[in-house]
């Protein structure tokens, strides 16, 4: 079949055509395409996992900052007045006989 194509057009007689029709080149190209796009460990899968790793690392930094903030708050809770103030302001807690009114600024 290839010999028939060589007679039809001069392009089929070029060295580039002979190289690209080599079965080892065709198999190698197919293998590279398979590994890049369709394999379980493909390039696309790696990019997706790298994105997830970056998001998790950002979460780690955020939670470490939150832990430091909470540790600082815990150190400040040494007195009963501070403990009560934080409970009332942040968690809207109240004593059983009290009523709490929340005023919002406009």
């Amino acid at each position: 079949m290839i010999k028939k194509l060589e007679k039809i057009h001069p392009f089929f007689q070029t060295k580039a055509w002979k190289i690209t029709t080599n079965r080892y080149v065709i198999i190698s190209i197919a293998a590279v395409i398979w590994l890049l796009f369709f394999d379980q460990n493909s390039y696309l899968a790696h990019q997706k996992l790298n994105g997830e790793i970056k998001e998790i690392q950002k979460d780690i930094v955020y939670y470490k900052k939150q832990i430091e903030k909470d540790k600082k708050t815990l150190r400040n809770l040494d007195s009963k007045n501070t403990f009560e103030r934080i409970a009332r302001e942040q968690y809207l807690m109240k004593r059983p006989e009290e009523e709490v009114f929340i005023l919002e600024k406009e």
Side-chain angles (χ1 to χ4, degrees), residues 4-62:
K4 291 179 184 178
L5 291 175
E6 289 174 356
K7 292 179 184 176
I8 296 173
H9 195 275
F11 170 74
F12 297 113
Q13 295 175 351
T14 61
K15 188 167 186 147
W17 175 256
K18 290 180 181 179
I19 290 173
T20 55
T21 56
N22 185 342
R23 63 180 160 191
Y24 298 111
V25 173
I26 293 171
I27 291 171
S28 299
I29 290 172
V32 168
I33 290 173
W34 178 265
L35 292 174
L36 283 176
F37 298 108
F38 302 114
D39 192 39
Q40 182 179 0
N41 300 318
S42 69
Y43 176 75
L44 300 175
H46 278 284
Q47 291 303 316
K48 181 181 175 185
L49 293 174
N50 286 339
E52 290 177 11
I53 289 171
K54 288 179 183 179
E55 288 179 25
I56 291 171
Q57 287 174 342
K58 287 179 185 177
D59 289 344
I60 289 171
V61 170
Y62 170 76

